Amino acid sequence: MCMRTVIFGILLLLVSSCSLYQDENKKENSIVVTNHSYANTDQVRSKHIRLNLQVDFRNHIISGVVRHEIEHLNKSGHFILDTKNLTILKVTRGEDNETEVDYEIGNSDSILGTPLIIDVDKKDKFINVYYKTSPDSEALGWLDSSQTMTKQPFLYTQGEAILTRSWIPVQDVPSNKITFEANIEVPGNLMALMGAENPTVKNDLGKYQFKMDQPIPTYLIALVVGDISYRKTGSNTGVYAETPWINEVSSELSDLPLMIEKAEKLCGKYVWGRYDVIVLPYSFPFGGMENPRLTFLNPTVIVGDKSLISVIAHELAHSWSGNLVTNHTWEDFWLNEGWTVYIEHRIMEMLHDREFSDMLSVIEWHEYMMEKEYYGEQHKDYLLSLKTDLKGKNPDDGMTSVPYVRGAFLFKTIEEKIGRVKFDAFIRKYFEDFRFRTVTTESFLNYIRKEIKNIDKLVKLDEWIYGTDIPADMYQAGTERMTEMEKLAVAISNAKYLKETFVTDGKKYLLKRNSFNTQEWLHLLRSMPRTTSPKILAYLDQLIDFNSWHNAEIQTEWFLLAIDANYKPAFPALKTFLGKVGRRKYLQPLYVKLTERPENRKMAKLIFEESKNVYHSVAVSTIEEILQE
């Protein structure tokens, strides 16, 4: 998943163990929470599920049955599933002739949800849970017709980290990988897709079948329903989008086959069959989500010039780091994202050049440093190491830029120390040796120390992974073009007036949109002093017209600068932006910045009240936390 900015998670306490509800007719049960899950996968595990579900747009409910094929590992009389805000209708055993079984529902926790404890015998192979979701399910993004291009309702799911339990009763833990199949019934004018084998045309009956025969963690089970069209972009690639802009989407993402080719050179064969992408409506809270065979993509990536397709490189990289080889626990999350950012940069280097890749590194390092400073001030150092301690925390709290950027820079440092040829051989062997398995931080350390002799003499691994400071041996990313942007930013902020041709250090710059790429513009805006006067911003606005630029990355940096300078002409566009875009990467820093002045805080609260129905629940929770501070 792509989210490389400060993420203010909801720091709520969760229990490390739970005593389940009991009365005089029920024996006492107690279960231990491990890896943010109630599931007893060490005793009885789900290995395959079959879903038979109906999607009800009128009531915002999904209902039906999930059929678990289970495996008994150790003696246990219970099969424990994670649920959250689900109504359990009944539980049965058997594949054909079903009979009801006893079950208990434990106490509810605000983060973990509720354990579903099902009585099982050693002979049980199939357990079936009949249920329905709540309209408030955190995983489900329900959009009404006013929020879509086609003026038809839309639904998407977002399961990472522990939200799948809010729409399917499952053992919702990354260490247990499963296969699945599904029958999904939707209104006849809509198409259903999943992270699985997918249709390319609508079924007038609204009945769709899916199959995923490769094991995946439950957070990658994904569903989307809407008025969707498909366009093929290669022999095993294609794009889905709402019909009105399928042409724009397919043009922007036409490089998918080439990106797979480049990724395979680094990581080994792509094993998932097809690689398709669906562009969701603007409420989707992340840049992308790496659901196997169907990446979810935020529409802010579609800007018309392919300048933001590094997000696709990131999600494609997850086909190896995360999907093929998965973090064993959420405290090992950096093994998903650190590898992914590193691979993303390598893909972009192969598509462009090393300087372009280093520009991405500079942009992301800046975000990491801002976040490091913030969490240091908040005395939350446990979020600054790669191996996090999330006991008693929501795993979303650990999804900051730290695992992404610090993790990637660790791998860049290793590459620099041992050489690219040797490191590339290590990468391919790592993904082959751990394919379809999960990895802890400790097992990774044991592996790399075995494969790369004397690695600790070259790279301070423990300092990188368990420490919070920046190791002295860190790879240094920097480019001449980014240095020029820093100098230009200072010169612009000190100018008495601006004109289209601007000279600094004897070098001429044409201040037009197409003079610099997106990364250069971002670095220029970020490098401008926060005390830049409104007059200078007015000059820049006149030359560039940032407020109407259809590039959310650049607009966000412009709005942050405008808020600092109290440049009021930017505020109407800012309000429109916040009312349309649901991507948390942009919402979070803008709402934080607006809270710094009392009058802007008041405006932020009004904007949020008017716009929160557009946002996904994870974005709503983040912003509510910001506005309460």
Side-chain angles (χ1 to χ4, degrees):
M1 176 172 48
C2 180
M3 43 179 164
R4 291 172 233 146
T5 57
V6 184
I7 296 176
F8 297 87
I10 307 171
L11 301 178
L12 301 173
L13 286 177
L14 56 86
V15 293
S16 60
S17 63
C18 257
S19 292
L20 302 179
Y21 172 84
Q22 57 177 314
D23 60 27
E24 61 184 6
N25 296 316
K26 296 185 178 182
K27 64 181 180 180
E28 180 178 354
N29 295 286
S30 96
I31 56 179
V32 176
V33 174
T34 58
N35 195 10
H36 300 90
S37 172
Y38 297 108
N40 59 335
T41 55
D42 61 330
Q43 298 173 327
V44 183
R45 65 174 288 265
S46 176
K47 63 179 184 178
H48 180 80
I49 66 172
R50 286 180 286 168
L51 297 164
N52 288 280
L53 302 175
Q54 297 80 45
V55 178
D56 180 353
F57 275 96
R58 175 175 295 180
N59 296 303
H60 288 184
I61 286 173
I62 294 177
S63 60
V65 57
V66 54
R67 305 183 185 279
H68 289 269
E69 183 177 351
I70 63 175
E71 178 182 11
H72 298 267
L73 302 176
N74 288 304
K75 185 177 180 180
S76 175
H78 299 100
F79 173 47
I80 304 176
L81 300 175
D82 296 297
T83 74
K84 192 169 188 182
N85 296 326
L86 299 179
T87 298
I88 306 302
L89 303 175
K90 67 175 180 177
V91 180
T92 67
R93 61 163 53 96
E95 187 174 12
D96 297 316
N97 299 316
E98 299 178 33
T99 58
E100 291 198 34
V101 299
D102 292 333
Y103 64 90
E104 296 181 22
I105 297 174
N107 293 330
S108 179
D109 176 84
S110 61
I111 294 175
L112 295 179
T114 309
L116 175 62
I117 307 94
I118 302 167
D119 289 349
V120 292
D121 296 324
K122 189 74 173 179
K123 62 184 179 181
D124 287 329
K125 298 299 180 184
F126 296 93
I127 294 293
N128 315 296
V129 182
Y130 293 78
Y131 71 99
K132 62 180 180 179
T133 66
S134 161
D136 299 322
S137 167
E138 294 170 301
L140 302 179
W142 298 96
L143 307 181
D144 62 36
S145 57
S146 67
Q147 296 172 269
T148 65
M149 290 185 174
T150 60
K151 303 307 175 186
Q152 295 292 334
F154 202 98
L155 167 68
Y156 64 85
T157 66
Q158 174 55 42
E160 192 177 37
I162 58 170
L163 298 183
T164 298
R165 66 190 68 183
S166 72
W167 75 283
I168 309 173
V170 290
Q171 292 182 314
D172 198 13
V173 57
S175 57
N176 187 51
K177 292 190 172 187
I178 65 168
T179 53
F180 78 86
E181 53 193 296
N183 294 299
I184 308 293
E185 187 172 348
V186 302
N189 61 326
L190 303 179
M191 180 187 287
L193 304 169
M194 295 191 76
E197 297 177 2
N198 277 305
T200 57
V201 294
K202 287 181 185 176
N203 176 336
D204 290 339
L205 297 177
K207 295 181 178 180
Y208 296 88
Q209 293 78 43
F210 304 94
K211 184 178 181 181
M212 169 54 75
D213 54 9
Q214 293 159 304
I216 61 170
T218 53
Y219 73 82
L220 291 175
I221 301 174
L223 170 68
V224 60
V225 182
D227 187 0
I228 300 163
S229 294
Y230 177 77
R231 183 70 53 81
K232 187 176 181 179
T233 61
S235 61
N236 69 330
T237 64
V239 296
Y240 294 89
E242 290 190 84
T243 304
W245 74 331
I246 188 67
N247 290 335
E248 295 174 64
V249 169
S250 60
S251 175
E252 191 86 350
L253 303 182
S254 61
D255 290 336
L256 289 179
L258 181 60
M259 296 175 88
I260 291 178
E261 177 188 323
K262 302 301 185 185
E264 285 186 321
K265 287 182 179 179
L266 178 63
C267 302
K269 184 175 175 57
Y270 178 79
V271 301
W272 301 95
R274 297 197 56 78
Y275 183 76
D276 292 326
V277 176
I278 180 167
V279 177
L280 301 180
Y282 279 94
S283 73
F284 185 56
F286 306 119
M289 185 63 208
E290 63 271 16
N291 310 304
R293 305 188 194 180
L294 188 67
T295 282
F296 285 7
L297 189 67
N298 193 288
T300 56
V301 175
I302 309 300
V303 294
D305 61 4
K306 299 186 178 181
S307 63
L308 298 180
I309 63 168
S310 63
V311 174
I312 285 293
H314 183 93
E315 304 310 329
L316 172 61
H318 270 303
S319 301
W320 291 269
S321 54
N323 298 3
L324 187 64
V325 182
T326 308
N327 50 226
H328 189 77
T329 78
W330 293 114
E331 294 181 341
D332 305 305
F333 182 63
W334 76 274
L335 283 166
N336 275 23
E337 297 297 348
W339 270 122
T340 298
V341 173
Y342 172 83
I343 297 166
E344 167 200 343
H345 290 180
R346 290 288 302 275
I347 293 172
M348 297 310 293
E349 177 184 332
M350 286 185 274
L351 291 176
H352 296 278
D353 53 33
R354 182 64 175 264
E355 184 172 36
F356 185 86
S357 173
D358 275 349
M359 283 196 289
L360 294 175
S361 296
V362 170
I363 292 297
E364 290 163 5
W365 186 258
H366 178 273
E367 295 168 356
Y368 164 68
M369 289 302 292
M370 290 185 65
E371 189 159 335
K372 186 176 187 303
E373 180 181 357
Y374 169 78
Y375 283 118
E377 291 173 351
Q378 299 296 312
H379 304 293
K380 297 175 181 176
D381 287 351
Y382 64 91
L383 294 176
L384 296 179
S385 59
L386 290 181
K387 173 73 173 186
T388 50
D389 180 4
L390 295 176
K391 184 177 180 180
K393 309 291 193 304
N394 190 321
D396 275 354
D397 296 344
M399 294 182 181
T400 69
S401 68
V402 176
Y404 292 77
V405 182
R406 186 181 177 97
F409 270 76
L410 166 58
F411 294 128
K412 289 173 186 285
T413 301
I414 296 173
E415 177 204 317
E416 183 180 51
K417 299 297 183 183
I418 71 172
R420 176 166 286 190
V421 172
K422 187 174 181 179
F423 192 54
D424 284 0
F426 171 81
I427 292 171
R428 292 175 71 93
K429 191 172 188 302
Y430 170 75
F431 287 125
E432 180 61 30
D433 287 350
F434 288 97
R435 55 186 281 142
F436 296 115
R437 294 168 57 192
T438 62
V439 183
T440 66
T441 297
E442 290 67 34
S443 61
F444 171 77
L445 285 174
N446 290 336
Y447 181 80
I448 195 171
R449 284 167 173 153
K450 173 178 172 289
E451 296 295 326
I452 304 176
K453 303 301 182 185
N454 300 317
I455 181 65
D456 287 286
K457 293 182 179 179
L458 299 171
V459 180
K460 301 181 186 303
L461 290 176
D462 288 342
E463 186 178 334
W464 271 98
I465 291 170
Y466 301 109
T468 60
D469 293 330
I470 299 171
D473 62 357
M474 183 194 74
Y475 169 79
Q476 299 294 321
T479 77
E480 182 179 343
R481 289 160 69 183
M482 295 306 231
T483 301
E484 287 182 9
M485 291 302 102
E486 294 167 9
K487 293 178 179 178
L488 181 58
V490 174
I492 288 174
S493 67
N494 292 331
K496 292 183 179 180
Y497 66 92
L498 295 178
K499 54 184 179 180
E500 196 170 81
T501 301
F502 191 80
V503 180
T504 180
D505 279 359
K507 187 169 183 177
K508 289 185 179 180
Y509 296 92
L510 193 62
L511 296 183
K512 297 178 69 173
R513 286 188 182 181
N514 61 3
S515 297
F516 313 118
N517 66 27
T518 292
Q519 289 70 36
E520 289 170 316
W521 273 116
L522 289 176
H523 199 57
L524 188 151
L525 291 171
R526 289 177 177 179
S527 299
M528 291 186 69
R530 300 297 96 180
T531 55
T532 300
S533 71
K535 183 179 179 181
I536 291 297
L537 295 193
Y539 284 140
L540 266 180
D541 202 7
Q542 183 179 353
L543 291 171
I544 308 299
D545 190 13
F546 286 103
N547 292 326
S548 67
W549 198 338
H550 183 60
N551 185 316
E553 293 281 342
I554 292 173
Q555 273 195 305
T556 298
E557 293 304 325
W558 166 252
F559 290 141
L560 289 171
L561 192 58
I563 296 169
D564 271 325
N566 205 27
Y567 177 60
K568 297 295 187 181
F571 283 28
L574 168 62
K575 183 177 179 180
T576 299
F577 183 85
L578 291 174
K580 176 183 179 180
V581 175
R583 188 173 170 184
R584 189 166 61 171
K585 175 183 181 182
Y586 307 136
L587 298 179
Q588 181 272 330
L590 289 170
Y591 274 102
V592 167
K593 184 62 68 175
L594 284 170
T595 62
E596 293 178 359
R597 286 194 180 98
E599 65 272 23
N600 288 345
R601 174 184 283 271
K602 183 178 180 180
M603 179 178 70
K605 289 183 176 181
L606 290 174
I607 293 173
F608 178 61
E609 286 303 314
E610 294 173 0
S611 307
K612 64 182 180 181
N613 67 313
V614 175
Y615 305 151
H616 187 271
S617 63
V618 296
V620 169
S621 297
T622 297
I623 299 164
E624 286 178 339
E625 184 77 5
I626 291 168
L627 296 178
Q628 289 172 3
E629 292 180 352

